[in-house]
Amino acid sequence: MTDGPLTATFRTTKLKQMDSAALVFAIDHEVDQDRVDFGTLRYAIEIAMAVHLSQTRIGRAAYPVDPYIVHPLRNVLRLIRLGCADTDVLAATALHDTVEEQPENIVKVLGAAQGPPAENALLLIEQHFGHETARLVAAVTNPPSSIPLTKAEKNAAYAQHVADVITDPKVFLVKYADFIDNAGSVQYLQDNAKRAKLQAKYVPLVPTFLSALAVNKRELELPDDGVAAINARLVALSTVLAVACPADDQREPDRLTAGAAGATSVPVNRSTKTVDP
C-alpha cells in the first residue's frame, strides 16, 4: 500500500465505476504489500484473467456487458478495502470461479494432467498456489448434482452449501465478496423475470451471512471497521433485495440502515476509516 494522490484517486473510486484495468491498478496501489505476498496475488489475477478471457457478464444499463474478469477483480479489491491481508484468501478470491466455470481452461493455461476437469483444475491450483488456496477455491465451488433439480431445489441446495461452508472464517470472506457482487447487481437487471428469480435465490442468504458474521467476526482477522462495513452492507442488501426496483445501494456503509425482516446487525466497534464493501 502506498500513499499519494494517485493511490487516493483509486481508493476513493467506487468499484462499480472501474473497468478491469482500473481494478488491477487499484489493487496494485491499495494492497498491503508488507503483509500480502503480492507476487502470488498478481499471479492468481493473471491466471484468472487468462481463464475467463472468453466470458462476459451482464452489467447494468450504462454498461450492459462486462468482461467476466471484473467480477473476481472487484471481489479482491473489496476484501482489500475491508482490510484483508491474507494471501490465500485474496488469491482464492481471484480464482474462485475458475474451477466451476472454466476448468478446461485452467488445464490449458497451467498445463495438462490426468483426471476429470474439475479435479484436475483443483490439483493444478494446489500445485501453483498451495493447499490452502486450493482448499478455499474448492469450498466455494458449487458441488454438481447427480440428478436434475427444479429451480427451487437448486436454490435450496445453493443456500445449504453456502451455510455449510461459510462457518470457516476464510471461506466466509471469499464467499461474502462473491455474494455481495452477485446479489448487489440484481437491482440493475433490466429483465424483471430474471431479477425476481435471483431475488428468490439471494434473499434467504442475507440472514445466513449475518449469523455467520456474528460467530466468525473475531476470526476474520479484519479491523473493526472492516467487520462493521460487512455488517452494514449485508443489512443494506436485505433492503435492496426486498423491493422490485430499489434505489442506489452504493451509499457509504455508515449511512446504511437496517431493512428487511431477518436482517439483524452484528454489534461491532466502528472507526473512521472509509471502506468500500
Side-chain angles (χ1 to χ4, degrees):
M1 181 185 301
T2 58
D3 292 317
L6 183 57
T7 299
T9 298
F10 286 120
R11 192 176 293 136
T12 55
T13 302
K14 292 185 179 298
L15 302 182
K16 67 177 182 178
Q17 297 172 332
M18 297 188 190
D19 62 11
S20 55
L23 287 163
V24 169
F25 285 125
I27 289 168
D28 287 355
H29 280 267
E30 295 186 46
V31 69
D32 187 345
Q33 295 191 32
D34 291 331
R35 300 168 61 200
V36 174
D37 183 339
F38 184 67
T40 296
L41 175 58
R42 190 61 181 264
Y43 184 41
I45 289 171
E46 290 172 353
I47 296 302
M49 193 167 291
V51 168
H52 290 301
L53 269 179
S54 64
Q55 290 181 280
T56 56
R57 178 180 171 90
I58 296 174
R60 49 184 62 90
Y63 307 97
V65 178
D66 283 328
Y68 195 91
I69 191 62
V70 300
H71 168 56
L73 290 177
R74 280 196 300 258
N75 294 355
V76 170
L77 184 54
R78 178 175 286 112
L79 291 182
I80 289 171
R81 289 182 172 184
L82 290 169
C84 178
D86 186 305
T87 302
D88 289 311
V89 168
L90 296 175
T93 299
L95 297 165
H96 79 277
D97 269 343
T98 56
V99 173
E100 185 173 327
E101 298 278 350
Q102 300 287 331
E104 294 86 357
N105 281 350
I106 296 180
V107 175
K108 291 178 182 178
V109 171
L110 292 181
Q114 301 298 318
E119 294 177 13
N120 190 8
L122 281 170
L123 176 62
L124 289 169
I125 288 174
E126 181 169 7
Q127 290 174 350
H128 285 259
F129 296 96
H131 173 76
E132 184 64 2
T133 296
R135 181 186 75 84
L136 296 176
V137 173
V140 299
T141 299
N142 290 326
S145 174
S146 59
I147 59 173
L149 299 175
T150 65
K151 187 64 177 177
E153 289 171 335
K154 288 179 181 178
N155 287 349
Y158 170 73
Q160 186 59 58
H161 173 247
V162 172
D164 289 343
V165 300
I166 64 174
T167 57
D168 180 303
K170 290 187 178 184
V171 178
F172 175 92
L173 289 173
V174 180
K175 199 63 182 175
Y176 163 79
D178 183 41
F179 177 69
I180 288 298
D181 206 59
N182 287 330
S185 299
V186 170
Q187 63 175 319
Y188 299 111
L189 293 176
Q190 302 300 301
D191 186 326
N192 291 339
K194 185 168 186 178
R195 185 168 63 241
K197 288 179 181 178
L198 290 175
Q199 283 173 310
K201 176 181 180 180
Y202 293 133
V203 164
L205 283 169
V206 176
T208 302
F209 274 95
L210 282 166
S211 295
L213 177 63
V215 173
N216 289 330
K217 62 182 181 179
R218 296 305 175 197
E219 307 300 322
L220 298 178
E221 298 185 0
L222 297 180
D224 286 341
D225 58 344
V227 176
I230 292 176
N231 178 78
R233 189 65 180 83
L234 287 168
V235 172
L237 184 60
S238 69
T239 303
V240 170
L241 292 174
V243 293
C245 271
D248 182 20
D249 73 324
Q250 301 294 332
R251 293 167 290 174
E252 291 302 320
D254 58 351
R255 299 177 189 169
L256 300 172
T257 56
T264 305
S265 62
V266 178
V268 288
N269 295 322
R270 294 180 180 272
S271 67
T272 57
K273 180 183 176 183
T274 299
V275 295
D276 185 351

